[in-house]
Each structure stands twice: as C-alpha cells, then as structure tokens.
C-alpha cells in the first residue's frame, strides 16, 4: 500500500504541484526536498507500524464506557502518542508555537498515510482544527493556554455543534450560555459563562488519551427577556474544557460539568469514540453549582463564523479521509486481482451458438486479465487518484492564500471557497463507489471480514454525512458559492480551468480532452444561469445535488487534464508504467465519466420539480 501511495504523492507534490518552489518564500525558507521527504518518511513509518496493523482491532474492539471512563484498546493510545510525538499536530504552525512551519500541502500529503492505514484511530484533525480556530479568533491568553497545549499533544480538541433535536439545523440549537457572576467579563481566560444543553455525535468527545479535552461549543446567549434569539445570528462560541485550568495551563483539579451520557455505535469509524455529551446537568457541580464553565471566543453572536473556520478545514480533511479510504480499497482489490486466479479469457470468434469460446483445458488466469475487472480498477484509480490530486490542490491553495503575493493570495482564497464543497463531497460519494467496486472485485469474499474491503466501505459511508451532508454542501455550492460576489468565484474557476485547457492544446494527444472539458465548463455555466433564471430559490435548488455531481465531475476532469500535462512533460514516451497508468486513468475519466454530466445538468437547466413538488402523501 505505502509504496504505491508514496510514489503517487511524490509525483503530485513535486512534479505536478511543484511544492519545492514554496521554499523560496520566507515562511518556508528553512525547508527543502530533503526536509519534506523526512516528514513523509516519518509519517509513512508510523502509519505502517502503529496504525495499519491495528485497523481491524479498533473496528472490533469498540470503545466501552464503564460509567466513569471510556476504555479504548492499548493500540489507540500508542498510535495517538506516536502521532503527537512526531510533531504533526502542529506541523504547519509557527516555530513560536512549537511548529515546523511546513507548507499545508506537505502536511496534508503526510497525513494521508494515516488515513490509508486506519482512519478511525484517533481524530487528530479535530484537535488541529480546534486549535487553529482559537488561533484565529481567541485572545492571546486563550491561544497560549488552549491552542498551544493542543498543538503540543497534551490536550485534545472537539467540535460541538449538533444537538439531538437539531441535527444539521444549527439555527434550532437550544444550548444556553448565561453569564457566570457579576465579574464574568473580567476572567483572564475570557468572558465566563455557564452552559447548559446537550450535544450529539461528538467525535472524540470523551476518552483517556490525553490529560484534558478542549470542547469548542456552539450555544446561544439569552436576550434580556431570557429567551434565546431565533436563527443562527444568536449563536456564540465557547471554550469548555473537560477539566478546568489556570492561566498557566495547569489543571486546577476541578472537573467541569461536562458528562458523557453515552456512546454512539456507528457503522464505521468504530475506533473513534462518538458521544452524547450533557453540559451543565449538575453531575459534576463546579465552583458551587451546576452549569459547565465556558469562555467566550470572539464576539457574542459570531459563533458560527468562528466555528466555520474549523468546519471548512474539517471539510477538506474529510474529503481527504474519503480519498484515502478509497485508495486503501483500490490497493487491496488491485492486489487481489493480481493474485486471485479465476476464469479464462475469451478466445477466437463467436461461435455459431452466439457465445464466445473459452478453452477449459487452459489454466485459470488472474482476475486482472478480464476486461470488466480492469474497468472496475480503472474507475477506482480515476476516482481516488483524481480526488487525491484535488485535495492536494486545495491544500496548495491554502498555502497560496497564506503566503502568496496579495492578488494571488486573494484569488487562492476565493477559488478555495468555491472548491471546498467539491473537495468534501465529491470524494465522499465517488471514493465510496470505489470501495463498492473493491468489494465487487473480491466477489463473495468481499463482504466477509476475512478481507478489509468491507470495513473500508463501512468507514467511508460516514463521510457523506460528516461535516455537512451531501445536500447541505450542494445547497452551499449552488445557493451561495457560485453566485457570491456576482459570480466572481465561478468566473475565476473558469479562467483557471481555461489556462489548463490552453496548456493541454499544445499536446496533440490531449486536444480532444481539452475540447471536451471546455464544453463541459460551458454547460455548467449555462446550467448555473438557467437554475437561477427565475430567481426562485425553491426552483434553483431543487436539483442542487445533481448540479454538484456535474460540477464535481467537471472539476475532476480538469484535475486529470492538468495531471496529464505534467505526465507528458515528464515522460512524453510514457515509458514509465506509472505514467501510462495515470494517462489510462485520465482516458477512463474522459471516456466513461465526464459524459455523465449531461443527465445531471438536464434537470438543473429545466428546474425540474419532480422531487420538490411531489406531495408527501404520495410517498
């Protein structure tokens, strides 16, 4: 597994994205190809030694709650410690925070080894995302006390949004935050509140892996009448530590009023604790009463804006998680197809009876000799390696947004806004399909636990719901991202794709694909206008998911065309097997996948109301 992944990462990082060129920038001046490779080597080794051997262990030995504490297998503790010791929690952070000041694209590439090895051992992306949000919106002391201790591995972090009655509808949350005493505003750790409410589906919400857990919690501050403000505008963000701390980051010995009500047992990601948390129910009274103590982050009423910094980061990370699970299934089914002997190839012409002839006296051949097996392998390769390219491209945009020249940085941030729903949702759908194909290649063995592909599918099925469902991402894309700023983001994407098309037309063998992508881009633009022709959101968004599927396929076709340009620049003769494989995957995507967008866009253009208009009783 790691050999194939490493060679793919090396090509995408160095030959395609030119990651070494970032070292000319002041922030990354201490780095070189050698330091990047050392990070990749370290993560590859830890993933191979501490994660991969225990992927099945954490699937079968699920977290247990004994009424006081969560019990996890020892391998989870060991893997989490190895990850923290590697420095990867703060890989992209400033030296002053104990970070390595790595480019985010290198951090993302290095973390892909862990996703491939075992996605559900730990949930380090939440800790990093939590700390990053505090870095952006927290006070200097909040950054020093909470973010720094998450980056150094002492503490872990969570994201507490959903509630049992609200799910994805954050405007309906009912967790309350009330000022804690007359001096609440002068607490050095931030304005101090008491929180009461329940949060559901909180990954890593309780465990004994770290000294403390820092919850970032969305809650509403009641108005003067004691009532909660309706909608999302009343939502604020709070730091709620499991154990209270002082201004030096030391534990005070006080348990905060945060109680684990129970563990959710999911289809996949079974190695990660998933919890229902009760805040302020009085099980752990603190400082004289019930109510979980929390410290306001940012300004009142701006909690969702603050949390979205973490959510967007998590969405890209979920896209990468879906991608790496797809790749893990692809590598497993490729190995199986090469070693499993089954069937005999069709020989000669069709017989008079109409069936192709097979010579039963010949020995069976490996599965990979059959055309339909190659079809399924190519589909997986085109989905998963294409998604990997997309996710690394988005990570490279993060670096450009942080360190590029002003105009380039502004463009990178806008492009990332448009691409984030695709980076999260496209891999979640199509790398899951890749996992399904991996099961198919294994035949009857595929859905037994003797082989890992059924677990990869179960783990990946969660990603279409993680960090905003498919429908939410689609509504965000068509309802906001492509129309914001007068369509500036969509126009920028069009120009960026157009530059790739122009480059591809310099290669005769890519000209037809370039024309095909240009037509797809035009079709997406026309469908976008047609969807909004009446200005009626109900009509425009009725087919937001088919729109996102077509949009995503167009973006992935762009990724493959851009990659193909790099392949030919490096190996014009396609003498290297890996080069031929990448071109084969690109050809598959253009011949088999991109033509699918016509049906998706048809219902968007027509503002088809088949789904939206059907009366609920008709179901």
């Amino acid at each position: 597994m790691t050999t194939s992944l490493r060679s793919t990462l090396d090509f995408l990082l160095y030959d395609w994205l030119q990651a070494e060129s970032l070292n000319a920038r002041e922030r990354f001046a201490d780095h070189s190809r050698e330091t990047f490779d050392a990070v990749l080597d370290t993560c590859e080794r830890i993933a191979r030694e501490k994660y991969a051997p225990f992927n099945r262990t954490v699937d079968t030995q699920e977290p247990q709650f004994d009424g006081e504490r969560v019990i996890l297998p020892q391998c989870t503790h060991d893997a989490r410690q190895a990850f923290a010791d590697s420095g990867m929690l703060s890989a992209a952070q400033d030296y002053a925070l104990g970070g390595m000041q790595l480019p985010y694209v290198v951090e993302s590439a290095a973390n892909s080894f862990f996703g491939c090895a075992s996605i559900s051992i730990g949930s380090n992306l939440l800790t990093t995302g939590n700390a990053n949000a505090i870095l952006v919106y927290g006070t200097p002391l909040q950054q020093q006390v909470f973010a720094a201790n998450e980056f150094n591995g002492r503490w872990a972090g969570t994201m507490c949004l959903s509630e049992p009655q609200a799910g994805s509808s954050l405007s309906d949350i009912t967790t309350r935050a009330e000022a804690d005493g007359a001096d609440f505003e002068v607490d050095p750790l931030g304005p101090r509140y008491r929180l009461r409410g329940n949060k559901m589906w909180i990954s890593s919400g309780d465990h004994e892996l770290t000294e403390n857990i820092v919850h970032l919690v969305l809650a509403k501050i009641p108005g003067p009448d004691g009532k909660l403000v309706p909608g999302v505008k009343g939502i604020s963000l709070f730091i709620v530590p499991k154990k209270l701390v002082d201004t030096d980051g030391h534990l005070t010995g006080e348990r905060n009023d945060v109680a684990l009500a129970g563990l959710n047992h999911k289809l996949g990601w079974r190695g990660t604790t998933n919890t229902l948390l009760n805040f302020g129910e009085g099980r752990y009274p603190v400082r004289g009463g019930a109510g979980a103590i929390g410290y306001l982050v940012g300004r009142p009423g701006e909690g969702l804006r603050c949390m979205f910094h973490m959510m967007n980061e998590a969405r890209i990370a979920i896209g990468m998680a879906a991608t790496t699970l797809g790749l893990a299934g692809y590598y497993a089914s490729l190995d199986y197809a090469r070693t499993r002997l089954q069937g005999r190839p069709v020989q000669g012409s069709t017989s008079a009876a109409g069936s192709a002839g097979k010579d039963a006296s010949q020995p069976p051949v490996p599965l990979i000799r059959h055309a339909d097996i190659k079809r399924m392998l190519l589909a997986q390769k085109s989905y998963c390696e294409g998604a990997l390219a997309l996710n690394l491209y988005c990570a490279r945009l993060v670096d450009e947004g942080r360190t590029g020249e002003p105009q380039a940085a502004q463009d990178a941030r806008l492009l990332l806004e448009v691409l984030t729903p695709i980076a999260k949702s496209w891999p979640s759908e199509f790398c899951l399909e890749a996992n399904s194909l991996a099961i198919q290649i294994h035949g009857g063995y595929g859905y037994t636990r003797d082989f890992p592909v059924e677990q990869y599918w179960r783990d990946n099925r969660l990603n279409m719901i993680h960090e905003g469902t498919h429908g939410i991402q689609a509504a965000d894309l068509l309802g906001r991202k492509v129309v914001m700023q007068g369509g500036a983001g969509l126009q920028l994407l069009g120009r960026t794709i157009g530059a790739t098309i122009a480059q591809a037309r310099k290669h005769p063998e890519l000209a037809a694909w370039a024309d095909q992508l240009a037509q797809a881009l035009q079709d997406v633009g026309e469908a976008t206008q047609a969807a909004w022709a009446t200005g009626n959101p109900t009509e425009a968004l009725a087919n937001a998911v088919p729109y996102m599927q077509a949009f995503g396929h167009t973006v992935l076709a762009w990724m493959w065309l851009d990659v193909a340009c790099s392949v030919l620049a490096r190996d014009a003769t396609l003498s290297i097997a890996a080069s031929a494989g990448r071109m084969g995957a690109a050809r598959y995507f253009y011949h088999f996948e991109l033509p699918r967008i016509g049906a998706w866009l048809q219902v968007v253009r027509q503002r088809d109301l088949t789904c939206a208009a059907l009366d609920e009783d008709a179901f």
Side-chain angles (χ1 to χ4, degrees), residues 391-406:
N391 278 278
L392 291 177
Y393 182 86
C394 288
R396 180 67 176 76
L397 289 177
V398 171
D399 289 320
E400 194 64 31
R402 290 173 177 170
T403 65
E405 295 297 323

Side-chain angles (χ1 to χ4, degrees), residues 163 173-177 195-199 217-220:
E163 298 182 2
I173 68 171
T174 58
T175 298
R176 299 170 67 93
L195 276 72
R196 293 173 174 82
N198 315 100
K199 294 293 181 177
V217 184
L218 290 181
K220 292 184 176 182

Side-chain angles (χ1 to χ4, degrees), residues 69-82 208-209:
R69 49 193 290 273
V70 173
I71 300 166
L72 292 164
Q74 183 60 41
C75 61
T76 303
H77 293 260
D78 297 341
R80 205 273 172 187
Q81 191 61 52
E208 303 293 322
L209 297 172

Side-chain angles (χ1 to χ4, degrees), residues 72-338:
L72 292 164
Q74 183 60 41
C75 61
T76 303
H77 293 260
D78 297 341
R80 205 273 172 187
Q81 191 61 52
F83 186 90
D85 291 345
S86 75
M88 286 303 293
L89 283 166
S90 57
Q93 301 306 322
D94 295 350
Y95 293 137
L97 282 167
M100 298 186 233
Q101 288 189 194
L102 272 180
Y104 183 60
V105 68
V106 176
E107 179 188 25
S108 295
N111 279 329
S112 67
F113 290 110
F114 302 107
C116 251
S118 182
I119 198 68
S120 70
I121 293 184
S123 50
N124 299 303
L125 69 92
L126 290 174
T127 295
T128 301
N130 176 307
N132 282 337
I134 294 172
L135 277 188
V136 174
Y137 296 105
T139 65
L141 191 59
Q142 287 174 341
Q143 295 169 18
Q144 180 184 326
V145 171
F146 296 106
N149 281 308
E150 291 183 82
F151 284 135
N152 67 26
R154 280 180 65 201
W155 302 345
T158 73
M159 179 167 57
C160 300
L161 293 84
S162 298
E163 298 182 2
Q165 83 291 342
S168 298
S169 182
L170 295 179
S171 62
D172 295 319
I173 68 171
T174 58
T175 298
R176 299 170 67 93
E178 298 178 312
D180 183 33
D183 64 344
F184 80 100
E185 289 185 295
V186 298
D187 194 301
L189 289 175
R192 189 181 64 249
Y193 287 77
R194 292 275 185 163
L195 276 72
R196 293 173 174 82
N198 315 100
K199 294 293 181 177
M200 177 60 104
W201 312 119
I202 309 307
S203 295
S204 294
D206 203 356
H207 53 73
E208 303 293 322
L209 297 172
T210 53
E211 175 185 281
N212 203 1
I213 300 173
V214 179
H215 302 292
L216 274 181
V217 184
L218 290 181
K220 292 184 176 182
I221 301 172
D225 60 358
K227 295 180 180 179
L228 300 181
V229 179
V232 298
K233 292 182 179 179
I235 296 175
S236 301
L237 182 64
F238 301 87
I239 294 170
V240 184
K242 176 181 176 180
K243 300 174 183 177
L244 295 182
V245 302
D246 62 22
T247 54
D248 293 320
H250 299 135
L251 302 186
T252 64
E254 302 166 287
R255 170 74 187 260
N256 206 355
D257 196 6
V258 182
L260 174 61
L263 296 176
N264 299 307
H265 295 282
K266 291 188 173 184
L267 175 78
W269 289 60
R270 292 178 174 176
T272 300
T273 56
N274 191 274
T275 62
L276 169 61
L277 297 178
N278 292 344
F279 291 84
E281 69 174 359
R283 181 173 179 185
Y284 301 103
V286 59
R287 297 183 183 175
I293 291 176
Y295 307 99
L296 181 69
V297 179
R299 291 187 294 194
E302 296 190 358
L304 208 53
R305 177 169 167 262
C306 299
M307 186 68 97
F308 259 106
H309 184 278
M310 182 179 180
M311 285 179 69
N312 281 333
E313 199 172 311
R315 283 170 173 170
I316 295 172
I318 287 299
M320 183 63 93
T323 298
T324 54
L325 281 164
L327 284 167
Y330 167 58
Y331 297 141
S333 63
L334 177 59
D335 180 65
Y336 188 82
R338 283 173 169 161

